[in-house]
Amino acid sequence: MFDSRLYELERQGLLRNILSRSSPQGPRINMKGRLLINFSSNDYLGLSNHPLLKEAAIKALNEYGGGSGASRLLAGGTELHEMLEDKIARFKEGPSGLILNSGYTANVSCIPSLETQYIFSDELNHASIIDGCRLSRAKVYIYRHCDTGHLEELLYSVPGEGSKLIVTDSVFSMDGDIAPIKKLVALAERYNALLYIDDAHATGVLGKGRGSLRELGLSHRPFIIQMGTFSKALGSFGAYVVCEEPIKRWFINRARGFIYSTALPSSIIAMAYKAIEIVETTPSLIETLYLNKERLISILKKSGLEFRDSETPIIPVFFKDNEEVMRVSEKLLNEGIYAPAIRPPTVKMPRIRFTITAAHTEEDMELLERAINKL
Ligand SMILES: *Cc1c(COP(=O)(O)O)cnc(C)c1O
């Protein structure tokens, strides 16, 4: 039965396969013996293979061992976990922090545990948010992408005394656009809702790395829950929420992915901690990231391709149909450029989604320029 289902996926051009590296993540990767320039990773600052992160991991491995052996509630966590929670709270300029095992786990655990009656979710939110909404028992309203007018209509339509949660990605991963957070904060305040902001792609990137609130000149409010990951720009793994202390304690008691899952190994925690220190002390990393992004934009402008210049390192280049996007992606691959095609139903418009990093060199960019000019 699964053979025929898989065949059907393949026939529709929707079959997915695992691709593996034989090198560290970075601007140049080795895949199946081929050296490729990589424009598909979320390792925006090139920290995942940073010597100081690896050194921190090895030190923690030696001090605390490999696996953590139990959940946080059963002493699976270490002092390092608590230090990272303090660190991320201060970095994000909020009251308290809690580590979760991944961004996916955070969203499917924390969103349902809030037990709100109504959830309002942007139509382009990440799959983990969609799943978190599904797992909750709330009535879920989907508002049109970044359409705060539509959101307000929906907020207005439900009983005023009902508990409400507005949930959004801050940076949308397929377009690189930024949610109207200022407006969302105002609406959450006006309608007495909680606001849950997923800063997965903003952490380490926007607002000097501190995320979307800082980028937009906003500060923490009691009704805001910031969530984000250590797995993208911070080069490690795992996730956090930053929120009021009672909400954190509620998550400790109710978020099932926190309670019923083994704590992250301390080596992973130590890398995340070191990454935050590096972001705090090395502003040139984010500056280089944005210089590289501007370099990509100037290459794309000259190329005549249709693209979106976002405020983030995620730059989508659009094509009219699946055949064309596949053809261009293949051609780039033949030139040693890894920039995969993304097709419906993942997105409406077929595209190549370039992600640029601080670790790309001028030579990488020149090779990309040459490959694009050949198209
Ligand atoms: C990557 C991502 C996640 C999932 O985080 P993981 O740590 O990879 O599980 C959640 N939300 C958004 C918006 C993401 O981009």
Side-chain angles (χ1 to χ4, degrees), residues 53 308 351:
L53 264 69
R308 175 178 182 136
R351 67 195 62 188

Side-chain angles (χ1 to χ4, degrees), residues 4-251:
S4 61
R5 287 188 191 171
L6 286 166
Y7 176 75
E8 184 56 22
L9 281 184
E10 184 161 22
R11 203 185 55 77
Q12 294 171 351
L14 296 174
L15 192 67
R16 294 161 184 253
N17 290 299
I18 290 172
L19 293 165
S20 301
R21 278 179 281 116
S22 45
S23 65
Q25 180 63 278
R28 296 196 178 198
I29 53 174
N30 193 321
M31 277 210 287
K32 297 211 158 78
R34 285 192 66 186
L35 188 65
L36 299 172
I37 304 177
N38 181 13
F39 290 99
S40 74
S41 104
N42 304 315
D43 183 19
Y44 296 116
L45 301 177
L47 289 179
S48 70
N49 194 39
H50 196 289
L52 290 177
L53 264 69
K54 291 192 281 191
E55 187 187 299
I58 292 164
K59 184 164 176 280
L61 196 56
N62 284 328
E63 278 175 32
Y64 298 96
S68 71
S71 73
R72 292 288 296 287
L73 296 175
L74 298 173
T78 64
E79 300 131 309
L80 294 187
H81 291 70
E82 288 195 38
M83 281 170 60
L84 179 59
E85 288 175 338
D86 287 345
K87 183 92 181 157
I88 192 67
R90 271 180 282 125
F91 185 60
K92 300 285 295 177
E93 301 165 327
S96 64
L98 182 69
I99 299 168
L100 290 115
N101 285 2
S102 72
Y104 187 87
T105 298
N107 287 341
V108 298
S109 307
C110 295
I111 293 171
S113 78
L114 291 166
E115 297 175 8
T116 45
Q117 286 171 283
Y118 304 99
I119 298 180
F120 303 85
S121 174
D122 188 290
E123 66 177 329
L124 294 189
N125 276 343
H126 190 262
S128 55
I129 294 179
I130 296 172
D131 292 357
C133 292
R134 285 181 183 156
L135 278 171
S136 78
R137 304 213 171 133
K139 179 148 177 44
V140 180
Y141 293 88
I142 310 295
Y143 59 91
R144 287 189 295 272
H145 181 50
C146 293
D147 185 341
T148 50
H150 187 211
L151 170 60
E152 183 157 19
E153 266 173 46
L154 294 171
L155 283 164
Y156 188 77
S157 74
V158 307
E161 67 282 6
S163 55
K164 305 175 198 75
L165 171 71
I166 301 169
V167 54
T168 187
D169 284 18
S170 57
V171 174
F172 291 89
S173 56
M174 290 299 144
D175 290 271
D177 56 333
I178 301 179
I181 308 259
K182 262 187 193 163
K183 202 74 203 294
L184 295 178
V185 170
L187 284 174
E189 183 164 43
R190 186 172 320 148
Y191 289 89
N192 197 20
L194 290 168
L195 175 61
Y196 186 105
I197 300 170
D198 179 337
D199 251 353
H201 287 279
T203 308
V205 175
L206 296 182
K208 301 195 177 342
R210 292 163 199 271
S212 56
L213 286 184
R214 167 60 92 84
E215 174 81 14
L216 300 168
L218 298 166
S219 44
H220 172 78
R221 307 287 295 277
F223 55 84
I224 295 179
I225 299 166
Q226 298 185 67
M227 169 270 170
T229 66
F230 301 119
S231 53
K232 290 178 172 139
L234 296 181
S236 181
F237 189 75
Y240 64 82
V241 286
V242 167
C243 57
E244 294 292 306
E245 173 78 17
I247 300 181
K248 166 180 168 168
R249 287 173 56 208
W250 183 253
F251 286 146

Side-chain angles (χ1 to χ4, degrees), residues 303-327:
S303 75
L305 292 166
E306 188 195 344
F307 66 99
R308 175 178 182 136
D309 183 359
S310 77
E311 303 97 318
T312 67
I314 301 170
I315 306 294
V317 179
F318 301 104
F319 296 90
K320 64 178 192 305
D321 54 43
N322 286 348
E323 288 67 45
E324 196 186 357
V325 78
M326 292 310 288
R327 197 168 44 80

